[in-house]
Amino acid sequence: LPILSQMGPSGANAVGLGVTRRFINVTFFSQLSQVQVVTDDAKVPLTIRVFNRRGEPLQVWDFYVGAVIDILGRPTTLTSASASTQDWLDFNARRLWKSKVFLEERLNKFRAKPKEELENGPFRRLAQPGSALGGSVPLTQLATCVARLEQELKIYQ
């Protein structure tokens, strides 16, 4: 699995009458389930484990452009990603989308009313070939959908 590197605002700090946004670089080491955080004024990186709301360590699927993760008690929105991270995320999003479409086609033969899942929001772009995704597709939702469709198909086979 890759090392994902993303940037995001760490929150707003009041400076005088205006608001200044601070930026951090977040690098996720998937084999260790650790995040390395470097703020814009840091001298030394901070390596920590980050957990989701259920208390489970974050996985590589939980990171995408637009994701909000909790780092040291502060919600942090991931606003961009390195080119290699975007390529990896987009490749896996398209791979999972193809699986989803294939499973839905097979399942709709058994359903009284054909049903398609995840056809809105960031997933809408996956249906358009060649569209730019920019690492913004939530892979966790897509992988969960594919797993649910696989389980449903097992009922009919």
Side-chain angles (χ1 to χ4, degrees):
L1 293 174
I3 295 173
L4 301 181
S5 180
Q6 303 202 13
M7 298 264 312
S10 61
N13 293 330
V15 176
L17 297 175
V19 175
T20 303
R21 294 194 77 91
R22 297 189 51 198
F23 286 86
I24 63 173
N25 185 354
V26 177
T27 304
F28 179 68
F29 298 96
S30 59
Q31 293 173 335
L32 302 172
S33 292
Q34 291 183 339
V35 174
Q36 184 179 70
V37 179
V38 180
T39 60
D40 52 4
D41 61 350
K43 303 218 185 309
V44 179
L46 175 66
T47 303
I48 56 174
R49 291 191 72 176
V50 179
F51 299 89
N52 63 19
R53 292 184 179 141
R54 295 178 303 277
E56 304 161 340
L58 289 181
Q59 300 298 314
V60 69
W61 307 102
D62 297 321
F63 290 85
Y64 60 93
V65 175
V68 178
I69 60 173
D70 184 27
I71 297 179
L72 299 174
R74 296 187 78 163
T76 302
T77 302
L78 303 176
T79 59
S80 65
S82 67
S84 61
T85 297
Q86 286 182 22
D87 290 345
W88 187 89
L89 290 167
D90 293 351
F91 171 80
N92 283 288
R94 284 187 169 80
R95 182 181 59 80
L96 287 167
W97 185 260
K98 286 179 186 176
S99 296
K100 180 198 97 66
V101 169
F102 174 75
L103 291 167
E104 283 181 340
E105 287 173 358
R106 294 193 58 199
L107 272 169
N108 284 338
K109 295 176 186 175
F110 303 106
R111 293 174 170 162
K113 181 179 177 186
K115 180 178 165 186
E116 294 181 353
E117 297 184 36
L118 302 178
E119 296 296 325
N120 57 1
F123 304 104
R124 184 176 48 241
R125 290 187 310 240
L126 283 166
Q128 303 166 354
S131 62
L133 302 175
S136 63
V137 176
L139 296 180
T140 302
Q141 290 179 354
L142 201 49
T144 301
C145 176
V146 168
R148 189 173 49 249
L149 292 170
E150 287 172 342
Q151 289 298 320
E152 187 179 344
L153 188 59
K154 285 181 182 179
I155 294 170
Y156 299 108
Q157 291 182 338

